[in-house]
Amino acid sequence: MSYQGIIHRYHEFMDLPPAVQPITLYEGNTPLIPVPAIADNLGGGFELYVKYEGLNPTGSFKDRGMTTAMTMAKHNGKKTVICASTGNTAASAAAYASRAGLRAIVMIPEGKVAAGKLAGAVAYGAEIIQIPGSFDDALSFVVEISQKSEIELVNSLNPYRIEGQKTASFEICDELGSAPDWLCLPVGNAGNITAYWMGFTQYNRIKNTGLPHILGVQAEGAAPLVIGHTVEHPETVATAIRIGNPARGEQALMAAEESKGRIIAVSDEKILAAQKMLASSGIWVEPASAAGLAGLIDRIKNNSFDPKGKRIVLVCTGHGMKDPDIIISRGIKPVRLPVDFDKVAEYILGGRIQ
Ligand SMILES: *Cc1c(COP(=O)(O)O)cnc(C)c1O
């Protein structure tokens, strides 16, 4: 049977009523791409893969959680959904709400949302509210609104978001035949690390697939789980993880501890270097998505981790096209030439025309 999205494929492992009508854009089923050149660059002798979640329908892994959250909102007769977002949740909620015929309200921190994400939310027809505050401010507002009304919250505090997002770990196990040794991923509001750990432990109970160690990576300017307290004014180029008070912070710390992994922080500079390294293997991701690789590189370089013989998966959470400005701002521009064959040939061939 042809592929019809994650609920169709993994319903038996999800805490969803048996007779739901999936609201789906055929999300999931993303490729697990080997990146041997990057592994060699880091000393070689291990297997390295990218789980390319940027290839979901709206360009990020948020679609996995949104198909389940929106399916249940519709199932429960809700008319309106709401979320706070650094951008990708907004775009995904907007898309799945239009698919479900529901009204979507998204609240975003002003001036801090990447162009491709805001455009997505607009294109899919969400009502967008900007506030001159942080993601954390926006989240506290929408949580309260959802508690005081019939409006459904579709942030990752919504348990159905986690039910959907955990399917990425099922896909990885199905593809590799077992869990990898390490899973490296960015951590913002900490829903995704929570979902992966839930998925791996569940699959291990049922299918004996083993458990990975989890390396969660935050940006230095937004690393509440590393420094141990809330960050009032989080700052990082990785806008998707620019969060100072993660909603599932406790669960993220538990996932790191139970998996005998850890949560670390890396600088923006290292995140952008990792983004470039992924692109040089043909995989362009938004800055936050490169944090997993940046963290892995850091651990290898300071000798706190030996990857030899290991199987490692990097979760690349969102597509590079979400945040074109970060690339453009590096100032590399196309070469301008006149409409003149000889000039073009001279530039390309260095004047050696046969
Ligand atoms: C949402 C998001 C994250 C962070 O995920 P959390 O569940 O908030 O930890 C990382 N990268 C991208 C691209 C995202 O959209």
Side-chain angles (χ1 to χ4, degrees):
M1 200 183 300
S2 66
Y3 186 77
Q4 293 173 46
I6 60 163
I7 297 178
H8 186 259
R9 179 162 177 196
Y10 290 115
H11 198 156
E12 62 180 305
F13 304 114
M14 290 175 166
D15 188 11
L16 293 180
V20 287
Q21 229 8 288
I23 304 296
T24 179
L25 288 163
Y26 291 31
E27 60 296 311
N29 200 22
T30 55
L32 190 64
I33 308 173
V35 283
I38 297 179
D40 286 347
N41 197 321
L42 299 176
F46 65 104
E47 288 176 45
L48 188 63
Y49 300 87
V50 165
K51 180 67 171 161
Y52 197 9
E53 289 288 279
L55 294 186
N56 276 293
T58 78
S60 84
F61 76 84
K62 299 297 197 301
D63 295 344
R64 288 182 189 274
M66 216 49 83
T67 181
T68 39
M70 212 61 71
T71 293
M72 288 309 295
K74 184 85 177 171
H75 182 81
N76 292 327
K78 302 285 176 144
K79 300 282 181 264
T80 304
V81 298
I82 196 167
C83 64
S85 179
T86 60
N88 282 331
T89 299
S92 184
Y96 282 82
S98 12
R99 190 84 168 162
L102 302 180
R103 177 182 172 207
I105 304 168
V106 304
M107 189 171 281
I108 56 177
E110 200 170 85
K112 304 294 181 184
V113 172
K117 305 179 186 181
L118 185 54
V122 174
Y124 298 122
E127 292 166 48
I128 302 163
I129 302 169
Q130 291 197 333
I131 56 166
S134 66
F135 168 84
D136 305 278
D137 296 325
L139 183 62
S140 72
F141 290 168
V142 299
V143 165
E144 192 169 343
I145 299 257
S146 71
Q147 285 164 350
K148 291 181 169 164
S149 70
E150 279 300 300
I151 297 178
E152 180 81 346
L153 181 74
V154 293
N155 279 104
S156 57
L157 284 164
N158 179 321
Y160 297 112
R161 281 278 308 272
I162 305 299
E163 283 302 303
Q165 284 172 212
K166 73 185 184 186
T167 58
S169 55
F170 301 162
E171 288 178 13
I172 291 171
C173 291
D174 287 344
E175 189 83 17
L176 295 177
S178 67
D181 297 302
W182 279 85
L183 182 92
C184 313
L185 82 172
V187 176
N189 213 26
N192 212 28
I193 187 172
T194 300
Y196 269 95
W197 185 238
M198 196 182 282
F200 281 120
T201 50
Q202 183 182 354
Y203 235 42
N204 185 45
R205 274 195 308 275
I206 302 166
K207 301 196 170 206
N208 219 3
T209 38
L211 294 170
H213 304 289
I214 299 209
L215 180 68
V217 186
Q218 301 205 289
E220 267 173 12
L225 300 178
V226 177
I227 61 178
H229 58 82
T230 298
V231 177
E232 202 65 45
H233 300 290
E235 265 314 330
T236 167
V237 290
T239 51
I241 53 173
R242 192 173 166 279
I243 291 172
N245 185 18
R248 291 187 184 265
E250 289 301 318
Q251 282 163 284
L253 292 168
M254 259 177 52
E257 190 183 317
E258 287 177 14
S259 75
K260 301 191 176 63
R262 54 179 52 215
I263 296 181
I264 62 171
V266 294
S267 66
D268 279 4
E269 200 183 322
K270 287 174 178 172
I271 289 174
L272 293 176
Q275 182 191 34
K276 203 166 169 185
M277 193 183 276
L278 285 160
S280 71
S281 272
I283 299 170
W284 180 28
V285 303
E286 63 167 287
S289 302
L293 175 59
L296 176 67
I297 293 173
D298 228 35
R299 300 257 299 142
I300 292 174
K301 293 230 160 121
N302 66 25
N303 289 321
S304 41
F305 176 64
D306 180 7
K308 289 277 181 303
K310 302 275 192 311
R311 194 151 65 166
I312 302 173
V313 171
L314 308 168
V315 180
C316 286
T317 45
H319 202 286
M321 284 188 275
K322 290 283 193 167
D323 192 356
D325 297 340
I326 194 73
I327 304 294
I328 310 252
S329 70
R330 281 180 216 161
I332 299 169
K333 294 211 170 63
V335 174
R336 276 198 106 229
L337 294 174
V339 191
D340 176 330
F341 176 78
D342 290 339
K343 290 269 165 35
V344 172
E346 188 184 326
Y347 176 80
I348 295 172
L349 305 170
R352 290 170 283 105
I353 305 172
Q354 308 296 309

